[in-house]
Amino acid sequence: MIVSHHKPHHRNYSRKIMTAVRLDGKACAADLEERLKQRISKCGVEPHLAVVIVGDDPASHVYVRNKIRSCERLGIKSTHIELPEDTSQEEVAKTIISLNNDDSLHGILIQSPLPSHMNEESLTDLIDPSKDVDGFHPVNLGRIVQGRLDGMIPCTPAGVMEMLRWAEVEMTGKKAVVIGRSFNVGMPQALLLAAKGADATVTIVHSRTADAKAECLAADIVIAAVGRPEMVQADWIKPGAIVVDVGINRVDDSSRERGWRLAGDVHPDVEGVASLLSPVPGGVGPMTVAMLMANTVTSAESQHS
Ligand code: NAP
């Protein structure tokens, strides 16, 4: 059983058998939204986000709907641009350039994945870095390496950092393991944990790592961003460690009417070993959307200051 606390306070766990406190991303996102509403009211302009979706991937449409709903809740204007699956790369490029040139817009998001005939990287390169609310433009990713953390930081790793700080997790000098090295999650996550101010000592585990379990067992903080359902087992985790599950995986489940369920990258039994564990769903997912809103507000503030 996961014990739910509105705001978890990380305690020192020395008991042998423990039940992880739930690192509640939904509650943390709600707190952040309240702070964003204050900032929006003082911003002097209605923040405005454009979301571009190409094709009919059902999961992507669900994500886009969630983002637009979140805009509505906060008083952020959203423009939803739907393009058909067979749109050419050039047409998407033209759309991005016209959004760059629209002074009423503060954020541009191109929902991933794009259809396979498109080169996602070269389209990301076209987005004006100051409107790149996903934080995937090389200028924004590069700024993280420089330790300039006041700009557009990718929403998922930024959301994980926000959750850890909200739960008052001490990171200084702690050993952190990030499983995954993608440009959008794992790699920026590792940089953010190691950055001045967070000050963790970070190991990156990937598919060529010799012994992922041994690396995790040495860690005080484990962030799993792999895309492999329930890969991180209870015997991978040091008792009392803090575990954040970024994974969102669909797994077959005939006991459900819809035939599938959502699973994280962390096995549910980890709950019996960790001191703090983020659930799936209700953990990193809501934080990712909230950080997208935060990036949009930051962009509106900086363009109207
Ligand atoms: P990705 O681009 O596929 O990257 C996965 C990473 O995991 C790669 O670096 C890969 O290593 C590593 N990996 C794969 N198999 C491994 C293994 N057996 N042992 C150790 N490392 C292994 O995925 P992603 O975009 O980072 O996403 C990761 C997960 O997070 C997915 O479940 C995704 O759905 C989820 N996600 C959630 C949110 C959210 O809002 N909660 C946002 C984004 C992503 P190599 O580099 O060596 O291939």
Side-chain angles (χ1 to χ4, degrees):
M1 182 193 71
I2 290 185
V3 180
S4 182
H5 287 254
H6 183 64
K7 180 165 177 163
H9 285 275
H10 178 236
R11 297 186 296 266
N12 198 16
Y13 288 81
S14 52
R15 284 176 296 146
K16 220 164 176 197
I17 300 165
M18 61 181 76
T19 302
V21 173
R22 182 188 178 96
L23 185 47
D24 187 343
K26 240 176 144 175
C28 180
D31 269 13
L32 177 60
E33 283 193 357
E34 285 311 309
R35 279 177 276 137
L36 288 176
K37 281 183 195 159
Q38 300 290 321
R39 281 170 61 186
I40 292 167
S41 70
K42 292 183 197 138
C43 180
V45 66
E46 187 181 23
H48 185 184
L49 171 69
V51 182
V52 181
I53 183 163
V54 189
D56 339 291
D57 177 50
S60 295
H61 280 270
V62 172
Y63 290 141
V64 166
R65 258 202 309 280
N66 283 342
K67 289 167 187 174
I68 288 174
R69 255 193 231 129
S70 185
C71 285
E72 286 165 359
R73 257 200 322 274
L74 292 181
I76 293 175
K77 183 176 174 189
S78 64
T79 297
H80 184 182
I81 299 165
E82 282 194 49
L83 300 171
E85 181 82 22
D86 60 358
T87 307
S88 68
Q89 168 108 4
E90 290 66 34
E91 279 172 74
V92 180
K94 273 192 202 150
T95 304
I96 293 171
I97 289 162
S98 79
L99 297 173
N100 282 343
N101 293 332
D102 181 344
D103 288 340
S104 79
L105 269 174
H106 308 105
I108 302 169
L109 179 140
I110 313 294
Q111 182 62 44
S112 184
L114 288 171
S116 54
H117 64 277
M118 284 184 196
N119 180 335
E120 210 158 319
E121 212 171 78
S122 63
L123 288 170
T124 303
D125 288 354
L126 291 176
I127 300 175
D128 177 341
S130 70
K131 296 185 178 183
D132 168 39
V133 284
D134 254 341
F136 296 161
H137 190 282
V139 164
N140 288 321
L141 289 172
R143 285 172 59 93
I144 303 176
V145 179
Q146 293 177 314
R148 296 158 80 184
L149 304 182
D150 57 342
M152 300 288 119
I153 296 176
C155 302
T156 300
V160 171
M161 297 307 289
E162 180 78 19
M163 268 169 104
L164 292 173
R165 292 196 163 110
W166 178 78
E168 295 167 19
V169 170
E170 178 59 59
M171 290 178 264
T172 303
K174 296 287 190 265
K175 283 190 202 293
V177 162
V178 179
I179 319 177
R181 57 176 167 184
S182 65
F183 77 90
N184 52 318
V185 189
M187 198 56 89
Q189 185 71 74
L191 290 168
L192 292 173
L193 285 161
K196 283 206 162 77
D199 298 313
T201 301
V202 182
T203 299
I204 301 174
V205 167
H206 48 74
S207 66
R208 300 298 180 102
T209 297
D211 191 346
K213 177 180 171 180
E215 301 295 347
C216 288
L217 268 172
D220 306 301
I221 301 168
V222 174
I223 317 285
V226 204
R228 294 189 172 251
E230 298 172 1
M231 183 181 95
V232 177
Q233 304 283 318
D235 63 356
W236 287 36
I237 299 299
K238 181 165 82 177
I242 289 152
V243 181
V244 179
D245 190 351
V246 179
I248 301 181
N249 310 290
R250 265 190 193 202
V251 295
D252 293 341
D253 184 347
S254 55
S255 72
R256 308 277 172 112
E257 204 178 309
R258 60 187 178 189
W260 57 271
R261 66 180 170 92
L262 276 187
D265 289 342
V266 175
H267 195 281
D269 288 352
V270 167
E271 191 200 327
V273 187
S275 61
L276 205 53
L277 170 64
S278 71
V280 176
V284 179
M287 286 309 297
T288 296
V289 182
M291 295 315 289
L292 174 69
M293 300 298 117
N295 277 346
T296 306
V297 174
T298 301
S299 171
E301 285 168 341
S302 65
Q303 286 172 48
H304 285 267
S305 58

